[in-house]
Amino acid sequence: MKKPMLQRSATEINKITGFIMGVRKFGKTSLWADMINAKFGDPEKGLLVSCGMEHGTNMIDNIFTTHANTWKDLVEVKDWLIKEKGNEHNVEMVCFDSAEEFFGIAESEVIRLSILENGKKIKSIKAAYGGYTNGEKECAKLVKKFLNDLYNAGIMPWMIGHTKLKTVKDKASLDEEGFQRLGSSLIADYESAVADCFDIIATGLIDREIEEKGEGDSTKRYVKETERRLYFRGNEIVEAGGRLKDLSIPEYIPFDQLNMGQTFIDTIETALKNGRVDATTSESKKVTSKKTAPIKEEKSVDSDPIEDDIDDIDTPVETTVEETSTYPDDLDAVIRKMYKECKDAELKASVKNVIAEYGKLNDVDEDGLKRIYDMMN
């Protein structure tokens, strides 16, 4: 058996899988290209596979891409990614555009396999493997195995899909008509496969504010204003979600910049880092996101970075502090004791600002500890 091991959650976007869906021409493919360039500074770290009738890369600059028309083509791409990793390429992430075309190609393969196995000529996925949605279920299995092979090889699969309005009926409601919700355009079996395979599902939509003018039969509706949004958490109007520990990720972000790659990365990686548990306190770490800059440049200073950790020390180490360049052996413990006994609020605030550059006191390196010690001594 495979030996069990303690696993820590991912904190970077290139270590998770994702599904980006949205209305047509929302900017999904451009977002993928921008994300790869922002994350790696190298477009060849992420491969975009256009599938079937999908040809959406001609107007996108700096995108590493190929095309697949058949299941054989897709398998060849997968085998090349796995076998030639580190030799012919250094791809870390691969995205299939679009999901509808990808599953359509997979359906053709399932129909072929069904004919070989049963000897009965069929033309529709609904007739494959005896019908009764067996064909769709076999197609979902085929796709899941395909994506799983890439995942196991350390190449994170992503996918781009389209959306459509669906009528949702709440079982607890007496409303027989239900309500409309924006979700995947895939059928139920394929949508379920997507939910199983991908860590996060982000949904783009254009939110419109409608204004009515006039009365009665002469009433006319006008679009007052619009906002493009990318949702990370679902609500009553849109489907979205992810395997995140808490609600540290926003419900949505405005999709209103020419290049959304860095903002997309910051939003997700901040949520991933907030999901990490500090082994010494058993509490989730909190990281503040900054839209226009990498996450590392901004740290939360709301909590007291020393008082939070002060209980981790059973007994303070008594150390003689000299006014020379010689520092105590256990700087960490000495600083904790000095901070606890310090009555100068401004000095304590200055120390917290220094620690915030690293995250917590446990994360401060030796040079940082010496800097804090000099401030307090």
Side-chain angles (χ1 to χ4, degrees), residues 72-347:
K72 182 175 179 289
D73 293 340
L74 286 170
V75 171
E76 287 178 353
V77 171
K78 182 188 73 171
D79 290 344
W80 178 77
L81 285 169
I82 295 173
K83 294 175 182 178
E84 299 300 331
K85 184 179 180 182
N87 297 319
E88 292 188 11
H89 73 83
N90 290 302
V91 172
E92 293 191 27
M93 304 171 73
V94 58
C95 182
F96 299 94
D97 185 10
S98 66
E100 292 74 19
E101 292 290 327
F102 186 94
F103 276 93
I105 292 172
E107 284 184 348
S108 298
E109 176 65 6
V110 170
I111 292 171
R112 185 185 73 83
L113 294 173
S114 177
I115 294 173
L116 286 176
E117 183 174 325
N118 300 317
K120 182 180 179 181
K121 287 191 175 182
I122 56 172
K123 296 181 179 180
S124 169
I125 190 67
K126 293 185 179 299
Y129 292 97
Y132 301 103
T133 72
N134 289 328
E136 291 92 329
K137 287 179 172 54
E138 288 298 319
C139 184
K141 289 180 185 177
L142 186 68
V143 170
K144 288 171 73 172
K145 183 183 183 305
F146 181 97
L147 298 175
N148 192 57
D149 288 344
L150 289 166
Y151 179 85
N152 289 335
I155 299 170
M156 296 297 106
W158 283 60
M159 195 172 283
I160 290 171
H162 299 114
T163 53
K164 74 173 184 179
L165 284 171
K166 298 179 179 180
T167 300
V168 180
K169 294 183 180 180
D170 189 348
K171 294 180 180 179
S173 173
L174 297 177
D175 181 9
E176 295 183 358
E177 293 185 1
F179 58 93
Q180 296 243 288
R181 193 181 193 199
L182 190 69
S184 171
S185 64
L186 297 171
I187 63 173
D189 284 315
Y190 302 163
E191 191 174 10
S192 178
V194 165
D196 290 342
C197 291
F198 297 107
D199 296 317
I200 189 165
I201 297 176
T203 305
L205 66 77
I206 301 174
D207 186 66
R208 297 178 175 88
E209 184 177 337
I210 306 297
E211 182 180 16
E212 292 187 354
K213 292 184 178 180
E215 296 181 358
D217 295 337
S218 62
T219 301
K220 292 185 179 180
R221 305 174 80 227
Y222 300 90
V223 176
K224 186 177 180 181
E225 57 182 302
T226 63
E227 182 181 38
R228 298 168 69 87
R229 297 176 176 178
L230 186 64
Y231 280 81
F232 295 99
R233 290 192 281 123
N235 56 28
E236 67 279 0
I237 63 171
V238 63
E239 293 178 359
R243 299 180 180 124
L244 297 168
K245 184 176 178 64
D246 52 30
L247 299 181
S248 56
I249 197 164
E251 181 181 15
Y252 71 88
I253 57 173
F255 202 81
D256 55 3
Q257 299 176 34
L258 182 62
N259 186 328
M260 290 294 298
Q262 190 62 57
T263 302
F264 184 70
I265 294 169
D266 289 348
T267 303
I268 293 176
E269 291 190 347
T270 297
L272 291 172
K273 291 176 182 179
N274 284 344
R276 273 288 183 100
V277 175
D278 189 329
T280 60
T281 64
S282 297
E283 293 181 357
S284 297
K285 291 185 177 181
K286 296 296 180 185
V287 181
T288 302
S289 175
K290 187 175 181 179
K291 286 186 178 180
T292 58
I295 294 173
K296 294 180 181 178
E297 295 184 6
E298 183 164 328
K299 303 287 185 179
S300 173
V301 295
D302 293 335
S303 62
D304 193 317
I306 296 185
E307 294 288 4
D308 288 349
D309 293 348
I310 209 72
D311 293 334
D312 293 344
I313 303 176
D314 294 328
T315 55
V317 176
E318 296 292 340
T319 307
T320 302
V321 181
E322 300 179 4
E323 296 183 0
T324 65
S325 60
T326 302
Y327 296 93
D329 293 333
D330 195 350
L331 267 175
D332 183 283
V334 172
I335 288 172
R336 292 174 190 271
K337 184 174 183 294
M338 295 172 70
Y339 184 90
K340 194 171 185 179
E341 296 174 352
C342 180
K343 304 298 183 183
D344 188 333
E346 291 187 6
L347 177 57

